[in-house]
Amino acid sequence: MNNFGLNIWANKNFIIEDGEIKLNYKSMPSLLEIANEIRSNNVKGPLLLRFPHLIKRQIKTLYSYFYKAIEENNYKGSFNAVFPLKVNQFPSLVNAVTTQGKKYNYGLEAGSKAELILAMSKTPKSANITVNGFKDEEMLTLGFIAAQSGHKITITIEGLNELETIIAVAEKSSLRVPNIGIRVRLHSAGSGIWAKSGGMDAKFGLTSTEIIEAIALLKNANLLDKLTMIHFHIGSQMSDIAPLKKALREAGNIYAELKKMGAESLSSINIGGGLAVEYDQHEKAHARNYSIDEFSSSVVFLLGEIMDAKNVSHPDIFTESGRFIVASHAVLITPVLELFSQDYQEKLLNFKESNPPLIEELRELNKLLTNANCIEYLHDALDHMESLFTLFDLGYIDLQDRSNAEILVHNIIKKALYLKSSNPTNELEQLQIKLQERYLINASVFQSLPDYWGLGQHFPVMPIHYLNTTPLRAASLWDITCDSDGEIGFNPEKPLYLHDVNIDENDYFLGFFNVGAYQETLGMQHNLFTHPNEYTVNITDTGYEITNHIESKNILDILASIGYDKDEILNKLKSDVEKSTFITEKEKSDTLTKLETFLNQNGYLRTTN
Ligand SMILES: *Cc1c(COP(=O)(O)O)cnc(C)c1O
């Protein structure tokens, strides 16, 4: 049975049971059940479901493995984590992270002024705030304000000019000085498609010479006691653990050297993010070569070893993992609107009293196809189709005959694929690929899976129901933007097979998984499709509760958000209808009502699905 690689990417968060995909937690509701309940309130289009228990699970996993490593290595420092806001700043997510992380004092990381303001308003005073990225005097002053307000805040400097500004602000104001961290420019580079954050040519961090200068500046300004942290981040979705180990050795030795140079308050090493998520659905290619166990053990062991060798006490460890913490919490459910080749349905066959002999033969082949004869019959059918096309070109058969032939041959191929699905021949596999089905999904790749569009990042995708039957159609997915890049094509190396569902009569929903990190914040309003309707789903022992429904922006608000005057647009459309002639007053008022309703809905399609 095809499980769509669930055993690879799902981390036991989901299971397949009774043909549906279910949450593997407490009352174990199925995604279909949840989607249907939401849709019973006349909600159409894509749904973004958030599951806070999956954030809790990741936080707990991260902490428990680090606690274990600390115990096993007799490590003396503590473990602390902050969530980097750039990964997802949406309110329901940030609230879920701070709520689920409360007992660990989970903090927030900010990389811009707006994120810092968010961190200052959402981080409990007992938790940490870290600040990275490029900063001006205003942003640094905000850090002073946060410290003055009682936050445990560390500002990591990316360059000496930032340190000079901090010193200047400290001199001219009496606000509390925040803790200061130094981002080190590593000699070793990161790995994966996001590797630019590390290495000699990295965008961020101080060189050794600059670090020495920074210590002198701090000493001079009497602020050396504010230097508490060494920071690095080698890039996101680290596929290989080797570069991390190199980075740890480098940063650990810098830490120990600085302690020896008199930086007595230095107490922590922040290893940034980069912990990878498994997005792959196929056995061949896995996204990372290490487990969380190996990751945490390596960090703790290496830091302990370096410090012991240099006789320096063990630093507290900070991480800023984002992707690992939140990727799994969100699932995008998209209705399939259409299967493009569904016109080849048996019920559309329309035979005449007397049909051309080759058509009659195709009918027989279709009727008598069995497991034993299907390859032979398939060859006959393909042969007949070629002949029938020639006959059509020469004018011997008509369009109705040709349509019947196409439907019959399609059916014969489909039946043969089905009969041989457990061990298809090479030829059948080729046919399957050639006869790709295009599934139109009610969603925008640009809005909901931007890393697919921009970086070719694969996300696990599978139907959330029909899982008792073997999917046979080689599938490519088309979104509803009118951009040909809004397509997830069929890849024979990593094939996706979906079901042959009659969309006129039945629903067919696809779930995209692990979409909780970066996708929402990078998502763009191409074609003016906006962030989909989102729901937070809390699973309980007996069922589930849906909370925090945030509706997708309506059409008028989308237009307003890019600068249009929505009243002007509404009034213009209304007055055009009012001024129109040839319709009754009743029709006019009905049309106006309709228009207003449409403009107050979101822009996704509202056809059957
Ligand atoms: C982006 C970023 C992170 C988060 O990285 P993940 O791969 O999502 O864990 C952490 N720290 C810094 C400085 C970052 O820029």
Side-chain angles (χ1 to χ4, degrees):
M1 178 56 64
N2 185 342
N3 71 359
F4 295 88
L6 198 83
N7 54 317
I8 301 170
W9 56 264
N11 196 21
K12 300 198 173 77
N13 291 331
F14 300 94
I15 55 160
I16 296 173
E17 208 178 77
D18 308 326
E20 291 176 10
I21 183 158
K22 295 184 174 174
L23 282 126
N24 189 17
Y25 186 64
K26 291 192 173 171
S27 65
M28 302 179 64
S30 74
L31 289 174
L32 183 67
E33 194 181 331
I34 297 169
N36 279 338
E37 177 175 338
I38 292 169
R39 289 163 51 86
S40 67
N41 296 315
N42 196 27
V43 173
K44 306 276 181 177
L47 308 174
L48 186 83
L49 306 182
R50 297 190 197 284
F51 297 103
H53 74 277
L54 295 179
I55 297 175
K56 184 174 172 181
R57 180 170 181 211
Q58 292 305 94
I59 292 177
K60 200 173 154 191
T61 303
L62 183 70
Y63 270 86
S64 58
Y65 277 101
F66 269 96
Y67 285 163
K68 178 171 149 264
I70 282 174
E71 203 180 310
E72 283 173 3
N73 290 284
N74 197 15
Y75 190 83
K76 298 294 187 301
S78 67
F79 176 73
N80 310 268
V82 292
F83 174 73
L85 285 166
K86 79 161 189 285
V87 179
N88 194 330
Q89 306 95 347
F90 278 70
S92 306
L93 178 279
V94 172
N95 285 333
V97 170
T98 49
T99 312
Q100 303 297 343
K102 206 174 199 134
K103 83 172 204 211
Y104 300 101
N105 268 328
Y106 217 92
L108 295 172
E109 183 265 2
S112 66
K113 286 181 204 175
E115 286 181 1
L116 179 52
I117 296 290
L118 192 53
M120 286 162 70
S121 70
K122 292 288 170 192
T123 315
K125 295 281 162 51
S126 53
N128 291 288
I129 296 177
T130 61
V131 186
N132 299 303
F134 296 110
K135 309 159 207 78
D136 61 4
E137 180 172 336
E138 220 173 80
M139 185 160 166
L140 292 167
T141 307
L142 273 174
F144 279 69
I145 296 173
Q148 182 68 35
S149 315
H151 278 294
K152 293 208 293 189
I153 179 169
T154 308
I155 296 188
T156 296
I157 55 162
E158 307 279 358
L160 282 178
N161 59 333
E162 288 182 3
L163 182 58
E164 282 156 3
T165 313
I166 289 179
I167 292 170
V169 175
E171 272 164 10
K172 72 181 169 200
S173 81
S174 52
L175 292 170
R176 248 180 102 174
V177 183
N179 289 331
I180 298 169
I182 293 179
R183 181 158 181 172
V184 297
R185 179 167 305 199
L186 298 168
H187 161 71
S188 51
S191 70
I193 37 180
W194 288 277
K196 284 192 276 298
S197 307
M200 291 254 265
D201 52 351
K203 185 172 160 193
F204 303 104
L206 278 70
T207 61
S208 326
T209 317
E210 287 170 328
I211 293 173
I212 294 170
E213 218 177 318
I215 300 293
L217 282 171
L218 282 165
K219 260 188 195 157
N220 232 344
N222 240 343
L223 286 174
L224 191 57
D225 63 324
K226 286 292 167 187
L227 177 65
T228 56
M229 185 182 279
I230 289 297
H231 176 260
F232 69 85
H233 168 67
I234 62 174
S236 207
Q237 187 66 0
M238 200 172 66
S239 50
D240 179 7
I241 197 161
L244 175 77
K245 291 186 176 176
K246 276 197 192 140
L248 279 164
R249 288 206 184 87
E250 237 185 301
N253 278 299
I254 291 172
Y255 177 92
E257 291 293 316
L258 293 183
K259 286 292 270 192
K260 298 198 156 170
M261 284 168 69
E264 281 172 17
S265 304
L266 198 56
S267 61
S268 50
I269 290 195
N270 182 339
I271 65 169
L275 194 47
V277 163
E278 189 55 79
Y279 291 105
D280 255 293
Q281 288 188 271
H282 299 85
E283 282 299 345
K284 283 176 231 159
H286 284 207
R288 56 174 196 193
N289 71 353
Y290 57 90
S291 64
I292 172 78
D293 200 359
E294 182 181 351
F295 176 86
S296 50
S297 301
S298 303
V299 172
V300 172
F301 172 79
L302 277 173
L303 288 179
E305 189 185 52
I306 294 163
M307 300 311 149
D308 291 348
K310 295 210 161 173
N311 216 355
V312 168
S313 55
H314 296 171
D316 295 335
I317 298 168
F318 277 68
T319 69
E320 297 173 334
S321 271
R323 189 185 294 277
F324 178 81
I325 297 297
V326 299
S328 62
H329 95 283
V331 180
L332 180 77
I333 309 272
T334 65
V336 172
L337 295 170
E338 197 176 330
L339 273 64
F340 282 82
S341 80
Q342 206 143 59
D343 313 332
Y344 299 118
Q345 287 175 41
E346 245 175 319
K347 68 175 184 204
L348 297 175
L349 284 167
N350 188 1
F351 294 114
K352 304 170 181 162
E353 293 251 308
S354 140
N355 298 290
L358 281 176
I359 298 274
E360 288 299 342
E361 277 187 44
L362 282 178
R363 278 177 92 171
E364 283 297 292
L365 293 172
N366 188 35
K367 203 160 69 192
L368 301 175
L369 198 76
T370 63
N371 194 16
N373 66 23
C374 72
I375 299 295
E376 186 192 332
Y377 280 23
L378 174 70
H379 290 154
D380 289 347
L382 292 173
D383 200 41
H384 289 355
M385 188 165 72
E386 279 307 311
S387 308
L388 283 159
F389 279 147
T390 309
L391 290 175
F392 178 78
D393 291 346
L394 296 173
Y396 290 111
I397 66 168
D398 63 17
L399 197 59
Q400 185 60 59
D401 295 326
R402 181 175 156 162
S403 154
N404 290 337
E406 286 176 3
I407 297 173
L408 284 167
V409 174
H410 251 90
N411 264 288
I412 290 166
I413 297 171
K414 272 201 221 170
K415 279 187 195 167
L417 286 175
Y418 179 73
L419 289 168
K420 292 284 174 200
S421 57
S422 53
N423 59 337
T425 62
N426 230 344
E427 181 191 16
L428 276 171
E429 273 177 347
Q430 292 307 317
L431 266 176
Q432 204 166 18
I433 292 169
K434 228 189 207 148
L435 282 186
Q436 258 176 59
E437 181 60 276
R438 289 170 299 174
Y439 290 76
L440 182 67
I441 56 170
N442 200 358
S444 156
V445 166
F446 302 89
Q447 173 58 239
S448 294
L449 306 165
D451 276 343
Y452 176 79
W453 169 74
L455 298 160
Q457 173 66 54
H458 177 84
F459 291 91
V461 55
M462 66 181 287
I464 61 170
H465 49 159
Y466 290 92
L467 298 168
N468 281 337
T469 46
T470 309
L472 293 172
R473 305 307 316 263
S476 63
L477 308 179
W478 288 32
D479 78 359
I480 52 169
T481 66
C482 20
D483 190 315
S484 53
D485 282 341
E487 182 199 348
I488 301 178
F490 182 78
N491 176 358
E493 299 283 300
K494 299 180 174 187
L496 173 68
Y497 293 102
L498 294 177
H499 300 93
D500 200 6
V501 176
N502 184 348
I503 298 297
D504 298 335
E505 285 162 19
N506 298 296
D507 286 333
Y508 193 47
F509 298 111
L510 301 182
F512 289 87
F513 294 82
N514 288 346
V515 298
Y518 296 102
Q519 303 318 296
E520 290 174 65
T521 52
L522 293 173
M524 58 201 115
Q525 305 192 354
H526 194 22
N527 265 158
L528 298 183
F529 288 113
T530 58
H531 190 264
N533 275 298
E534 64 159 273
Y535 304 82
T536 297
V537 186
N538 293 306
I539 318 279
T540 63
D541 288 328
T542 50
Y544 59 89
E545 297 164 357
I546 298 177
T547 56
N548 291 351
H549 171 204
I550 299 179
E551 212 167 322
S552 188
K553 245 188 236 154
N554 72 39
I555 293 172
L556 281 176
D557 286 340
I558 303 166
L559 294 173
S561 76
I562 55 170
Y564 289 97
D565 179 338
K566 62 181 185 180
D567 294 330
E568 188 187 314
I569 288 180
L570 185 60
N571 292 338
K572 169 79 170 84
L573 295 192
K574 278 162 106 177
S575 85
D576 284 351
V577 172
E578 270 155 10
K579 277 188 250 154
S580 70
T581 46
F582 307 119
I583 54 172
T584 63
E585 283 306 309
K586 167 96 175 59
E587 251 184 302
K588 212 177 253 184
S589 94
D590 285 354
T591 307
L592 286 170
T593 312
K594 246 185 223 157
L595 188 61
E596 200 138 3
T597 312
F598 293 166
L599 291 172
N600 283 301
Q601 285 170 349
N602 69 54
Y604 288 98
L605 299 191
R606 297 183 63 85
T607 48
T608 47
N609 284 304

